[in-house]
Amino acid sequence: MTRQQHPAEVLGRHALSRRGFIRTAAGAGVAMGLASAVSACGGSGGGSGGSVTLQLWDTDTRPERTANLKKLISMFEAKNPGIRINYLGLPTDQYMQKINTAIATRSTPDLLTPKASDLAALVAQNALAPLDERLKKAGLEQHISEQMLKSTRAAAPDGKLYLTPTTSLADVIYYRADWFQEAGLKPPATWADFDAAASRLTDASSGRFGYTLRGGNGFFSQFVQMVYPRAGVSTFFREDGSSTLNDPAVIAACEKYVALFGKQTARSDLTADFKTMVAQFGNGGAAMLSHSIGSYPNHVAALGAEKVGAVAPFPGPDNQVLTGWMTTGFAMFQKSEHQEEAWKFLAYTMEPEGNSFWAQKSGYLPGNKTVAKEKWVTENAAMKAALDAAAKPGVVTLEQPYYLPEFTSITVTDLLPEWQKVLQGSLTPRDFLTAAATALTTAKRKYDKEHG
């Protein structure tokens, strides 16, 4: 299976502002050729012999994933002979343009695979059907991970469920189990353990470091993963709408994170992205790496399962904060003429058979509680670490505000050059976080004002 994408990577490539979405949908400049293509593909219709044909648009068309989704569809059709699903893969860099055109021309399909970061724009246009009542009526809610339900609802501006909590990412810290054993170290269980191991396992003269830090594209997710849990801060905003990025505990945790650079990490980590970090870890250049559960197959392929350990972010001063929980799933359009049939497919992705197949092929956490007990989950060190941490009493999850139109542009684009200045020592963590907090506070208060 090709490696799965981390939230920041997904957001960095796909997310646009909500205003941009609406302008694209309503603007007079939408190309007629595009509108015609969408009209030809969109909508739902009846098939021969009284069967129903649904249209599913997919926003992530990596070849192996596409093959797996088509297999999931065929499994569903075998169980529901009266329902057919036509698959259409949308271009990665144009999918929102096509979706917005379909909304504007009232030619939406029945089903969609939106990103969590797309929900705010789609909900603002009243494009998606809420799923809360259907989930309860079907008796499915009690069988779905509470954590995933919470994270999915948090991604929508009105707190409703528009995306099936089918699968999810979660952050973990990977470590070289063989290196720890050779050094007589136990698996890290606290931030003090992490600091000690990063120092102990660093031998710069041989190109071996205790940790690999993400200084390049996609840095923000790993920054959050390594800073907020250590600070014990579990929300991005205070009650007054101000950002917690300038919280004293966050600043202190950031200073400790930055102190790793160039000492317990290679200086080349200044521009490290996902591929660079994986290579550093897999080639014997780093003892620890922070990323999502989705990269576990990469590490196992490079090193072997016996050499790869995983732990959830460590507890902070007063609590344990989990990060990176981001749902991936399916949605139904409000204008679908066959909502009952479309719901049957959505339900199938959350029921044991469909959920087990799709989660296993995706490499993500399954939303169904029964599936979460299956052997392929419990034997996956990264998944087990994430699920065990989520089951602990009092654990809290940091929900990233994907509903803010400016969130991605601020955290993925605007902050990257400033972050690299921090690593190089030309900008202090305090000044970096103060400016970042100001930008996010402005975005949050603007959003709150617009939405009452």
Side-chain angles (χ1 to χ4, degrees):
M1 183 66 188
T2 54
R3 67 101 177 166
Q4 301 298 306
Q5 298 161 299
H6 197 275
E9 298 167 71
V10 172
L11 291 173
R13 286 172 36 211
H14 301 309
L16 302 170
S17 73
R18 179 160 57 99
R19 294 192 302 274
F21 286 150
I22 296 173
R23 285 199 299 270
T24 302
V30 175
M32 292 303 295
L34 177 60
S36 298
V38 170
S39 296
C41 298
S44 55
S48 60
S51 65
V52 169
T53 299
L54 306 176
Q55 307 293 334
L56 183 152
W57 286 8
D58 187 23
T59 63
D60 186 350
T61 54
R62 287 167 291 146
E64 190 171 354
R65 181 186 179 281
T66 298
N68 290 329
L69 180 50
K70 288 182 177 179
K71 173 63 177 176
L72 178 70
I73 289 171
S74 68
M75 291 167 59
F76 169 77
E77 290 175 339
K79 294 277 186 179
N80 298 271
I83 305 174
R84 302 289 296 175
I85 298 179
N86 286 340
Y87 171 93
L88 176 66
L90 303 181
T92 298
D93 57 350
Q94 298 177 22
Y95 76 84
M96 277 308 307
Q97 183 181 3
K98 287 184 177 290
I99 293 169
N100 285 329
T101 299
I103 294 171
T105 57
R106 299 184 180 181
S107 57
T108 52
D110 303 279
L111 299 161
L112 181 69
T113 62
K115 311 292 189 294
S117 55
D118 300 329
L119 292 184
L122 294 172
V123 171
Q125 297 178 78
N126 195 34
L128 301 180
L131 307 175
D132 302 83
E133 291 304 317
R134 290 183 182 275
L135 192 73
K136 291 179 181 178
K137 186 177 179 181
L140 271 172
E141 187 164 11
Q142 61 184 319
H143 299 292
I144 303 299
S145 160
E146 291 84 358
Q147 172 57 55
M148 287 175 59
L149 282 166
K150 178 183 176 184
S151 293
T152 308
R153 289 185 169 117
D158 58 5
K160 293 182 180 179
L161 193 72
Y162 295 95
L163 183 69
T164 58
T166 305
T167 56
S168 179
L169 285 167
D171 285 337
V172 293
I173 298 172
Y174 294 100
Y175 66 93
R176 286 291 301 268
D178 54 334
W179 290 13
F180 273 72
Q181 186 174 9
E182 291 167 4
L185 296 172
K186 294 181 179 180
T190 66
W191 289 105
D193 291 345
F194 171 83
D195 293 336
S199 179
R200 174 83 173 273
L201 297 174
T202 294
D203 182 2
S205 64
S206 63
R208 181 164 149 167
F209 295 90
Y211 180 72
T212 176
L213 183 149
R214 191 168 187 168
N217 290 332
F219 89 93
F220 192 72
S221 287
Q222 269 67 69
F223 166 86
V224 169
Q225 177 184 355
M226 297 300 287
V227 170
Y228 268 79
R230 187 164 194 156
V233 176
S234 60
T235 179
F236 265 96
F237 297 102
R238 305 178 183 92
E239 290 187 3
D240 64 357
S242 61
S243 170
T244 57
L245 273 172
N246 62 359
D247 186 285
V250 172
I251 293 173
C254 179
E255 290 171 343
K256 291 180 179 178
Y257 184 48
V258 170
L260 295 168
F261 179 72
K263 298 181 181 67
Q264 281 77 52
T265 80
R267 294 202 65 83
S268 59
D269 281 359
L270 176 67
T271 57
D273 58 8
F274 170 80
K275 291 182 179 178
T276 305
M277 290 193 306
V278 170
Q280 180 86 328
F281 187 71
N283 293 336
M288 291 182 286
L289 159 75
S290 48
H291 198 254
S292 75
I293 61 165
S295 62
Y296 181 71
N298 299 76
H299 310 314
V300 171
L303 299 167
E306 71 283 354
K307 294 182 179 179
V308 181
V311 291
F314 313 114
D318 304 309
N319 58 11
Q320 180 161 12
V321 178
L322 303 182
T323 63
W325 283 76
M326 182 177 181
T327 302
T328 60
F330 301 82
M332 176 169 62
F333 276 98
Q334 193 79 266
K335 298 297 183 181
S336 170
E337 297 176 1
H338 300 289
Q339 290 200 6
E340 293 303 318
E341 291 82 1
W343 167 251
K344 285 185 178 181
F345 176 74
L346 297 184
Y348 182 71
T349 70
M350 294 180 281
E351 292 164 354
E353 181 181 87
N355 192 244
S356 180
F357 172 82
W358 184 239
Q360 188 170 2
K361 292 297 184 181
S362 301
Y364 284 6
L365 293 171
N368 188 287
K369 293 178 182 178
T370 299
V371 177
K373 298 176 183 178
E374 292 180 358
K375 189 175 181 180
W376 68 268
V377 178
T378 58
E379 291 185 349
N380 180 306
M383 289 187 179
K384 187 176 186 305
L387 291 172
D388 287 350
K392 291 181 180 178
V395 69
V396 289
T397 304
L398 177 68
E399 304 291 355
Q400 297 203 36
Y402 298 118
Y403 58 86
L404 290 180
E406 298 88 354
F407 181 68
T408 299
S409 61
I410 292 172
T411 60
V412 174
T413 305
D414 299 347
L415 293 184
L416 177 57
E418 303 305 301
W419 171 242
Q420 292 177 335
K421 290 179 184 178
V422 174
L423 296 179
Q424 292 173 307
S426 60
L427 182 66
T428 67
R430 181 179 297 276
D431 289 344
F432 166 73
L433 292 172
T434 299
T438 298
L440 283 178
T441 297
T442 300
K444 170 66 172 172
R445 288 178 173 169
K446 176 184 176 183
Y447 180 87
D448 289 347
K449 183 178 180 180
E450 291 176 349
H451 293 79

